[in-house]
Amino acid sequence: MRTLIKNGYVVSMVSDIRKTDILIEDDKIVRIGTVSEENETFDKVIDASNMVVMPGLVNAHTHVAMSIFRGYNDELELMNWLQEMWKIEDRMKKEDIYYASMISGIEMIKSGTTTFNDLYFFEEETAKMAEQLGLRAILSRAVIGEGDDCLIRVRESEELYHSWHNKCDGRIKVCVGIHAPYTCPPDTIKKSLELADRLGTPVHIHYLETKDEVEKIFNVYHKSVTDYLKELGLFNYHVILAHGVHVNDRDMEILKNISGGIVHNPISNMKLGSGFAPVKKMRERGINVALGTDGQGGTNTMDMFEEIKLATYLQKGLLGSATAMSAKDALQMATIEGAKVLGLDSEVGSLEVGKKADIIIIDINKPHLKPHHDIYSLLAYSVNGADVDTTIIDGNVVMEHRNVMNVDENEILEKVELVKNKLF
Ligand SMILES: [Zn+2]
């Protein structure tokens, strides 16, 4: 399969922006530069004139099946909100998770996300969604609780790994997921890490999200969250640390040496009143910071362009400086730096010869995008998810002119409404 993308503004995230062509063969980018159509045959030619061609976005922290909670009890404090939500989650069946994941999957493809990193339960249903829609995913079953509850969830994590790891030509990967330090006693964390050891996977965990978490761990264990996790051995693994809102200078001394990094979820952190992550400082210390949406309780959409914009505005506002974070910085976090945090940067996150063809094409011939002076600025501050025209993952066109392939979108819209009515 040979696909040619012609004449777009190519934003590779690793070299200067230029107007040129990209040639894809099967799942990979094989050429970036002028490609003559004479004496060559292509299975598909995409005219990207007046369009931006950039890497697919990496949403590094999600709970995609939480679409079902969009707008539910929006104005509650995090702990109260979690307790309300857990009552509903207890009633959710596999089929509910499938449709709730599916609606997020469609939303991600339509707003330019090509890779997501998910932590939830019944993840095999989310895997089916990613398989069907053609998304790239890292999936983890959230281990939470203690005793038998913990053991059941560790076993489910292992089963998920054996059923889905490296499936769909390697598009789907499985890692170990731990809910959070404040919901998992030391033994639960140890058992999860033993599993990560056995399977050789990264570990995805909520980390330093709220002040309550800091106080709770200190009151019970008389140490900081970072010391608590370090002593349990967490930082010996590749770690995907969701939030990092309350990271201090001492924590950064440990974090700067880890494999993996922090996932910043600016909208979730502001909406839940969790606080402001010191993103500029962490990146200056050499800590990789990805971007994520979190679940639809923390944020109400999966549109990563909203997170990109808010990430820069938050640092500018917080630090009282218009230069605190640039448009390009935030775009890097949503692409190549996000891929680094997930350990996928040798495959995705930038447009380079030899990398996987995970590409989005954005129509910039629109009133809110014309005229413009700087394409990074345009992408970070003016573009929104609905401007994405075409999405390509692993060399496959999964959305063209806003039509998502491989699924009947209207049927999913109806089905997810029925799931909502049943659960609430
Ligand atoms: Zn989360």
Side-chain angles (χ1 to χ4, degrees):
M1 179 80 181
R2 299 181 90 219
T3 303
L4 177 63
I5 304 171
K6 282 290 292 176
N7 216 22
Y9 292 102
V10 174
V11 179
S12 74
M13 296 313 301
V14 287
S15 52
D16 291 342
I17 298 170
R18 58 187 170 134
K19 207 161 200 254
T20 192
D21 310 329
I22 295 184
L23 180 61
I24 301 166
E25 278 179 11
D26 299 324
D27 58 335
K28 290 203 172 67
I29 296 168
V30 295
R31 204 184 313 168
I32 301 176
T34 307
V35 177
S36 165
E37 287 183 77
E38 267 178 55
N39 306 321
E40 291 243 36
T41 54
F42 306 98
D43 298 286
K44 190 172 186 66
V45 177
I46 298 170
D47 178 11
S49 311
N50 250 320
M51 298 206 183
V52 168
V53 182
M54 69 174 290
L57 303 177
V58 175
N59 188 343
H61 178 65
T62 63
H63 316 283
V64 292
M66 289 182 77
S67 62
I68 211 74
F69 295 102
R70 197 191 319 271
Y72 178 66
N73 278 330
D74 261 344
E75 265 73 52
L76 282 187
E77 295 297 344
L78 178 62
M79 266 334 281
N80 300 339
W81 179 79
L82 282 173
Q83 277 154 6
E84 287 302 312
M85 188 200 62
W86 283 331
K87 287 183 208 161
I88 308 287
E89 280 186 344
D90 283 344
R91 302 209 297 270
M92 286 175 87
K93 303 275 188 290
K94 282 188 169 188
E95 195 191 47
D96 306 332
I97 298 285
Y98 172 77
Y99 287 111
S101 295
M102 192 50 108
I103 207 76
S104 285
I106 294 170
E107 189 188 353
M108 287 192 282
I109 286 174
K110 293 191 91 160
S111 54
T113 290
T114 53
T115 298
F116 69 103
N117 176 42
D118 202 65
L119 178 74
Y120 212 51
F121 59 97
F122 292 147
E123 281 287 313
E124 58 279 13
E125 301 301 313
T126 303
K128 283 182 203 160
M129 172 279 277
E131 177 182 40
Q132 186 181 339
L133 293 181
L135 277 157
R136 191 179 301 286
I138 301 181
L139 307 173
S140 48
R141 199 280 178 239
V143 177
I144 186 170
E146 53 195 309
D148 284 350
D149 280 352
C150 158
L151 292 177
I152 289 167
R153 285 154 186 166
V154 168
R155 199 182 63 226
E156 287 172 355
S157 301
E158 187 158 11
E159 285 167 2
L160 181 72
Y161 178 89
H162 292 303
S163 310
W164 284 97
H165 185 65
N166 266 335
K167 291 291 153 69
C168 307
D169 303 318
R171 264 195 296 113
I172 296 178
K173 304 213 185 293
V174 174
C175 77
V176 168
I178 302 171
H179 181 259
Y182 64 93
T183 52
C184 295
D187 193 53
T188 298
I189 296 177
K190 276 187 206 153
K191 290 217 161 48
S192 304
L193 295 181
E194 281 163 20
L195 180 65
D197 222 21
R198 250 195 343 272
L199 304 177
T201 70
V203 180
H204 183 187
I205 183 172
H206 290 109
Y207 165 76
L208 282 175
E209 181 177 3
T210 64
K211 260 205 182 86
D212 280 357
E213 174 184 335
V214 175
E215 284 164 13
K216 193 172 170 193
I217 295 295
F218 190 80
N219 290 340
V220 178
Y221 304 106
H222 311 294
K223 54 186 81 155
S224 74
V225 171
T226 305
D227 285 341
Y228 171 68
L229 294 172
K230 184 171 186 262
E231 284 167 25
L232 289 167
L234 178 75
F235 300 122
N236 300 331
Y237 298 81
H238 184 104
V239 278
I240 304 160
L241 303 165
H243 299 297
V245 173
H246 296 281
V247 167
N248 61 28
D249 287 349
R250 228 181 126 252
D251 300 322
M252 285 186 221
E253 283 305 303
I254 292 168
L255 296 177
K256 72 182 187 189
N257 297 315
I258 63 168
S259 168
I262 296 280
V263 186
H264 178 41
N265 303 269
I267 295 179
S268 171
N269 297 158
M270 283 191 273
K271 186 172 170 232
L272 295 171
S274 304
F276 307 108
V279 173
K280 179 177 159 65
K281 214 171 181 182
M282 288 193 282
R283 293 179 83 237
E284 281 169 355
R285 302 277 170 95
I287 301 162
N288 291 317
V289 182
L291 282 182
T293 55
D294 209 353
Q296 282 92 336
T299 185
N300 294 49
T301 82
M302 304 297 284
D303 185 349
M304 283 286 287
F305 284 101
E306 291 185 0
E307 304 291 337
I308 290 167
K309 187 190 290 186
L310 266 290
T312 72
Y313 292 172
L314 190 154
Q315 294 301 308
K316 289 168 194 278
L318 179 67
L319 300 170
S321 163
T323 62
M325 180 178 285
S326 71
K328 191 177 175 185
D329 281 332
L331 289 162
Q332 274 170 336
M333 289 161 62
T335 54
I336 186 64
E337 204 165 321
K340 274 184 196 159
V341 171
L342 300 188
L344 297 178
D345 52 308
S346 63
E347 292 192 349
V348 299
S350 58
L351 302 184
E352 292 178 78
V353 169
K355 276 200 167 180
K356 296 281 190 186
D358 284 16
I359 298 172
I360 57 174
I361 303 174
I362 298 165
D363 181 2
I364 55 169
N365 195 30
K366 295 185 173 184
H368 64 290
L369 304 175
K370 287 270 181 181
H372 58 259
H373 295 275
D374 178 278
I375 288 187
Y376 291 123
S377 158
L378 188 75
L379 290 170
Y381 304 136
S382 305
V383 161
N384 62 63
D387 299 320
V388 178
D389 176 82
T390 296
T391 302
I392 300 170
I393 305 173
D394 225 28
N396 300 310
V397 176
V398 297
M399 178 179 79
E400 187 169 32
H401 308 317
R402 302 218 40 83
N403 293 312
V404 179
M405 313 294 173
N406 313 322
V407 70
D408 179 343
E409 196 178 319
N410 287 327
E411 187 198 324
I412 301 299
L413 287 169
E414 282 172 23
K415 283 275 171 54
V416 83
E417 198 64 27
L418 295 176
V419 172
K420 186 207 111 185
N421 292 340
K422 186 191 80 177
L423 288 171
F424 292 84

